[in-house]
Amino acid sequence: MKLKIAAALLASAIAMPAHADVLIDNVTGITIDADGKVKRFEALVIDDDGKIAQVIERGQERPRTDYREDGEGRVMIPGIIDAHAHVMGVGFGALTLDLSDTNSLEEALEKIRTFAAENEARPWILGRGWNQEKWGLGRFPTAEELDSAVSDRPVYLARVDGHAGWANSLAMRAAGITADTKSPSGGRIEKLADGKTPSGIFVDAAEELMNAAVPAPRPIERDLAFIEAQKVLHSFGITAVADMGTTIEDWQAFRRAGDNGSLTLRIMSYAAGPDQMTLISGARPSLWLYEDKLRMNGVKLYLDGALGSRGAWLKQPYSDDPHNTGLPLMAPAQLRNVLVRAAQGGFQPAVHAIGTAANAEALAAIGEIAESFDGDRRWRIEHVQIVDPADLPKLAEHGIISSMQPVHQTSDMFMAEARLGEERLQGAYAWNTILEMGGRLAFGSDTPVESPDPFAGFAAAITRSNAEGEPFGGWRATERVNREQALSGFTADAAYAGFAEGRFGRLLPGERADFVLVDVDPLLATPEEIRGTKVLETWVGGQKVYDAD
């Protein structure tokens, strides 16, 4: 059945009409101009190549075109660019078990039990999204608890942040995990109270012990997952992403879609480590392929884990775990060697750093190496969640881009207080401070860790409050950004972060006609209205790829 659906979706994509000279008229248009200022307009002309030929403001005469599309006065904004996403994770998440909506361990176990019963033919039960903090559990779940839901097949479920996994007993047996199995460098096998028995939780690098036993998806399953990912992302108005951690298998799925005409999402790829980088692209970044829809930009590196699993690397121990400073995932020399290797080939490094020590190490390494490489490098640090205030000014040096996810702040704020204490929160999710010091931001979601909904991220960016309006007035509200900065962070600045400026990200002549029609004006609506934004249509390169109707 799934293959029939995939074939139908592929056929519909291929059957989309060829480009023609089109006037998109009668819109309430908003974009960011070449000077970074908001520009309003009433119509666009799209040429035969799917690029913007003319932006028509109020009072300007409409040209004659082959076709005219009536926007019916709806709001048009540039296509959303998610500056940090995991594309295939979105697709596989749509095809496997999703626990992100569960609010207790009991609710999660019931959902796992139901999913297993409905998928009897699956040899493994796989999924993601559990969060012991959201459940109020106060600890990690165990293999024994997972066995109570499914005991006849291996089960392995990734935590919401992707930095820990939860296995049942059969899964651990399949992976050869015993009481004698040692935690690898950069990872941790959680133990039960006896200090010997594996609990079923594998943190950061220890996840590889389990992943090695999980059957790899076949190419046809990857293609199906990618089709699902494009559908999901376009439904949220997303036209382009920076894919963080692209493998050769992912890249081949993207290429197959490009070759058969079903690639509708623009992907700026960052390889899953230096070996994948050279395997995919060779000695240099790839060219832009498929009319600016795919490019291998650089390499994704992990310096630490996540706050939720206490894997984020801190300068001082966790306030709620005084013997733990997190998990450094790369040695200093290793980090510098990879940065030099990437820079020599013209690849753009994107360094995952969440804790104070990880961010300090990333900044120190970039500072040492940047002096040896001239030109426009745009060193990226991903997440930049908890920074020592003394290190914040360094984020404005060497053209560093702070690639951040506003929804992480609203999801993590109360946990961050418990993990870190008040003093270390001075440099937490410091968007406004980074901008004021001369740094650059790019906004994303980290989907599927969080929902890909960019309007939830937009609302969080301008309020520092969650969907329930908590806390009143915003959490550390001086770090809010204004609406124009939020819009730019999800469009023009996200394009710049991926060396895509001038190609897409703004609705300006010469750029690709990637835009979204929505039901509210994000520069005028209330935060509640912004969170409830309905995406009506999504267009990529002058072709409609999503229609809510």
Side-chain angles (χ1 to χ4, degrees):
M1 181 65 176
K2 287 178 180 175
L3 294 181
K4 291 180 180 178
I5 294 171
L9 288 168
L10 181 59
S12 66
I14 294 173
M16 292 172 71
H19 292 307
D21 204 29
V22 179
L23 172 67
I24 310 291
D25 201 2
N26 188 22
V27 298
T28 303
I30 305 167
T31 192
I32 305 296
D33 69 16
D35 297 321
K37 305 296 184 184
V38 171
K39 178 178 181 178
R40 290 187 176 268
F41 59 91
E42 293 187 345
L44 288 179
V45 177
I46 304 171
D47 67 19
D48 289 345
D49 294 324
K51 294 182 178 181
I52 297 167
Q54 187 178 354
V55 178
I56 300 171
E57 299 179 35
R58 179 179 296 180
Q60 289 184 318
E61 184 178 350
R62 272 58 168 169
R64 294 178 63 87
T65 58
D66 297 324
Y67 298 97
R68 178 184 180 274
E69 179 98 5
D70 186 358
E72 299 176 349
R74 293 176 293 183
V75 176
M76 176 188 285
I77 60 175
I80 299 297
I81 303 173
D82 192 316
H84 186 114
H86 305 278
V87 173
M88 296 304 290
V90 173
F92 282 117
L95 301 175
T96 56
L97 176 59
D98 180 9
L99 296 175
S100 61
D101 60 348
T102 58
N103 295 303
S104 68
L105 174 61
E106 293 73 22
E107 185 181 345
L109 291 173
E110 182 58 33
K111 190 168 185 180
I112 295 165
R113 192 176 294 114
T114 299
F115 185 87
E118 293 173 348
N119 294 273
E120 292 182 351
R122 298 194 183 201
W124 281 64
I125 300 300
L126 303 174
R128 64 174 296 131
W130 60 271
N131 185 349
Q132 84 282 3
E133 296 294 329
K134 184 179 178 182
W135 295 345
L137 199 59
R139 60 173 175 82
F140 283 125
T142 66
E144 182 179 5
E145 288 164 332
L146 194 48
D147 289 343
S148 71
V150 181
S151 60
D152 63 337
R153 280 169 285 171
V155 182
Y156 190 61
L157 306 167
R159 192 180 184 278
V160 65
D161 57 14
H163 286 269
W166 178 22
N168 72 349
S169 296
L170 283 180
M172 288 194 290
R173 187 181 306 169
I177 303 298
T178 69
D180 295 326
T181 305
K182 304 297 183 184
S183 294
S185 175
R188 184 171 65 249
I189 301 173
E190 293 285 336
K191 302 298 178 87
L192 296 178
D194 62 11
K196 298 179 181 179
T197 307
S199 72
I201 297 296
F202 299 81
V203 179
D204 286 316
E207 291 183 278
E208 291 306 312
L209 301 174
M210 290 303 308
N211 289 332
V214 176
R218 297 172 297 168
I220 195 168
E221 293 167 334
R222 290 185 177 278
D223 293 346
L224 178 60
F226 182 51
I227 288 172
E228 289 295 317
Q230 290 192 132
K231 287 171 55 183
V232 170
L233 295 170
H234 289 330
S235 73
F236 284 104
I238 296 168
T239 57
V241 300
D243 185 54
M244 290 293 162
T246 306
T247 65
I248 183 63
E249 293 83 4
D250 299 338
W251 180 260
Q252 290 299 93
F254 303 157
R255 289 297 304 263
R256 286 192 293 272
D259 289 344
N260 65 37
S262 64
L263 178 61
T264 57
L265 180 72
R266 301 195 192 280
I267 303 174
M268 300 167 283
S269 281
Y270 293 81
D275 293 338
Q276 292 286 314
M277 176 184 75
T278 52
L279 179 63
I280 292 168
S281 194
R284 306 287 297 178
S286 75
L287 300 174
W288 284 97
L289 306 171
Y290 311 113
E291 297 181 325
D292 294 335
K293 287 195 177 79
L294 181 63
R295 182 180 189 251
M296 174 52 67
N297 274 12
V299 60
K300 170 73 180 299
L301 307 173
Y302 283 94
L303 262 189
D304 66 346
L307 273 180
S309 52
R310 296 186 182 85
W313 182 24
L314 305 177
K315 291 184 176 181
Q316 293 86 32
Y318 282 84
S319 296
D320 57 357
D321 189 358
H323 301 293
N324 181 17
T325 57
L327 293 169
L329 301 183
M330 296 183 78
Q334 182 186 13
L335 172 62
R336 286 155 177 79
N337 286 340
V338 176
L339 289 178
V340 168
R341 178 178 169 185
Q344 286 176 334
F347 291 99
Q348 183 187 22
V351 183
H352 166 117
I354 288 181
T356 50
N359 278 288
E361 176 67 5
L363 288 165
I366 291 170
E368 292 170 21
I369 292 167
E371 302 297 337
S372 301
F373 293 94
D374 56 9
D376 186 5
R377 295 288 170 173
R378 302 186 199 179
W379 314 87
R380 292 178 62 133
I381 302 180
E382 305 299 313
H383 307 307
V384 203
Q385 287 181 218
I386 313 297
V387 183
D388 186 326
D391 292 327
L392 283 171
K394 299 175 186 176
L395 289 166
E397 300 173 358
H398 310 297
I400 291 172
I401 294 167
S402 296
S403 171
M404 304 179 74
Q405 301 75 45
V407 286
H408 280 336
Q409 179 260 306
T410 49
S411 293
D412 295 353
M413 55 189 172
F414 301 127
M415 175 186 66
E417 291 175 352
R419 293 280 191 271
L420 303 170
E422 177 63 24
E423 183 177 345
R424 281 179 287 186
L425 296 178
Q426 300 300 317
Y429 315 89
W431 313 321
N432 188 52
T433 296
I434 291 169
L435 289 176
E436 287 188 337
M437 289 181 171
R440 300 194 68 132
L441 296 179
F443 282 155
S445 69
D446 202 11
T447 186
V449 174
E450 301 275 5
S451 164
D453 183 0
F455 301 100
F458 190 108
I462 65 173
T463 65
R464 305 275 290 193
S465 298
N466 61 21
E468 289 72 42
E470 301 170 333
F472 180 77
W475 188 82
R476 313 192 76 82
T478 56
E479 293 296 351
R480 290 179 297 204
V481 297
N482 63 40
R483 293 168 186 251
E484 292 78 7
Q485 290 165 335
L487 179 61
S488 190
F490 280 107
T491 57
D493 292 341
Y496 176 87
F499 285 94
E501 76 277 12
R503 297 177 184 272
F504 52 88
R506 309 178 199 261
L507 297 177
L508 297 177
E511 295 204 12
R512 299 287 179 181
D514 300 350
F515 59 85
V516 187
L517 296 177
V518 294
D519 64 340
V520 299
D521 184 334
L523 301 185
L524 299 176
T526 67
E528 292 74 20
E529 290 170 336
I530 293 171
R531 287 186 181 278
T533 297
K534 182 178 180 181
V535 174
L536 305 172
E537 296 179 9
T538 304
W539 292 61
V540 176
Q543 295 195 55
K544 190 187 300 184
V545 297
Y546 171 78
D547 190 327
D549 295 331

